[in-house]
Amino acid sequence: MTALFQGFRSLVENSPDAISLIDSEGYILYGSGAANELFGYCPDDLVGRKYLDLVHPDDRDHSSRVLRDVLDRPTKPVQWETRILHQYRPCSWVESSASNLLLDDDVKAILVQTREINARKLAEIELQERVEELIRCNSRWEEFAHTAAHDLKEPVRTISLFTELLVRRTQMNPPAEQMAKLIVDSAARMMTLIDGLLSFASTGTHEPLCRVNLEDVLPQVMENLAVSLAESDAKVSLDRLPSVTGNYTQFLRIFQNLISNAVKYRRADSVEIHIAADRQDRDWVLRVKDNGVGVAEDNKGRIFKPFLRLAGRETPGNGLGLALCKKLVESWGGAIWVESELGIGSTFCFTIPVAVEEAQGSAQHHCVFQSTPSYPICSGGLS
């Protein structure tokens, strides 16, 4: 160790990190000034102590395994976090890095470099507590929304039913009948809103995951939307889509909402919708493009908020479709946004993280869903 001290004593002694040397049995041979400060022992008292005796009892097994790993793999430094004991102060969180230099003639010891990370660990603990509280709050909100939706449905249904009975059994003048019709229509809109709220609240973020071929999702979407697609003479085309890790029902809801919106917010022209995917780093980016009315620049961020509707009452909907898409996409760590120009159309984009397994080959083919048949017809085939 003499040669080491002669060459690096000044560097070691002035390092803000604690530098320790321990032998193969785990006994301390040397501790720098910072090590003395970290453990609370003077150099003479530190030397000869068992290194693990200075580690918090709850962390000794883990630290022992780490040091054994250092002995088994001399060429690979190992890094870990643990709590260490101080002679006079409470224990501290530290980050340590150990290198096996037992075969180095100038060292012949295990070099351990340690720095105190109490502030970082405190921030991590506070962040974790906030995340857990957010999860609890979100769970309470979903439970409340679910209960409120169920409790509201019955009185709304009663209002609608008895208003209709009143109209049938009572002689009313035209203005009274018009008011009764407004009550029934409002009750119907309220029921639609409640159903949407119930669906939004009951959409779990912990649904089981599996391998899903997105091309297998689209036929079911087309079947669910067959009537509205036929009425609008819509045509849906798609490029080759990947297989991803996720939940079939979640993908079904997202595509169904986006395609349904393209039909609802259409121009006088025939509806054309194109679905594509491309790989960007560790994400798949899915794009649902339409030739509809488009979205104004100021509304691009607002449209994903719950209950916000930019169209009038003549356009059906409850303002929860895009909010549901956002909730689902963000539940798996993705992002969703819209690229649009008024009067030209919109492209709704969302990302899906690429799983460990590679997605299916990228050979191009093109499928076209026609609105007349209830099943897709593809020029390249869906397999």
Side-chain angles (χ1 to χ4, degrees), residues 262-283:
V263 172
K264 284 192 294 186
Y265 300 102
R266 61 184 183 269
R267 293 182 291 155
D269 303 337
S270 297
V271 178
E272 294 184 1
I273 303 167
H274 183 72
I275 303 170
D278 61 272
R279 176 81 172 266
Q280 294 184 5
D281 297 325
R282 298 300 299 166
D283 288 323

Side-chain angles (χ1 to χ4, degrees), residues 4 20-26 29 65-80 96-113:
L4 173 69
S20 305
L21 295 176
I22 62 176
D23 64 17
S24 59
E25 300 298 321
L29 303 174
R65 289 193 296 270
V66 170
L67 293 175
R68 285 199 300 269
D69 193 32
V70 173
L71 288 172
D72 294 339
R73 295 190 290 178
T75 61
K76 184 177 181 181
V78 178
Q79 197 171 57
W80 78 104
S96 299
S97 177
S99 300
N100 187 344
L101 302 179
L102 290 167
L103 300 181
D104 189 314
D105 292 336
D106 291 330
V107 183
K108 296 182 179 179
I110 296 173
L111 174 67
V112 181
Q113 184 174 353

Side-chain angles (χ1 to χ4, degrees), residues 257-302:
N257 274 307
L258 295 180
I259 293 174
S260 176
N261 272 4
V263 172
K264 284 192 294 186
Y265 300 102
R266 61 184 183 269
R267 293 182 291 155
D269 303 337
S270 297
V271 178
E272 294 184 1
I273 303 167
H274 183 72
I275 303 170
D278 61 272
R279 176 81 172 266
Q280 294 184 5
D281 297 325
R282 298 300 299 166
D283 288 323
W284 281 106
V285 180
L286 276 295
R287 305 179 191 276
V288 180
K289 181 179 181 181
D290 64 58
N291 63 339
V293 297
V295 180
E297 188 67 31
D298 293 344
N299 292 326
K300 288 182 179 179
R302 299 174 60 221

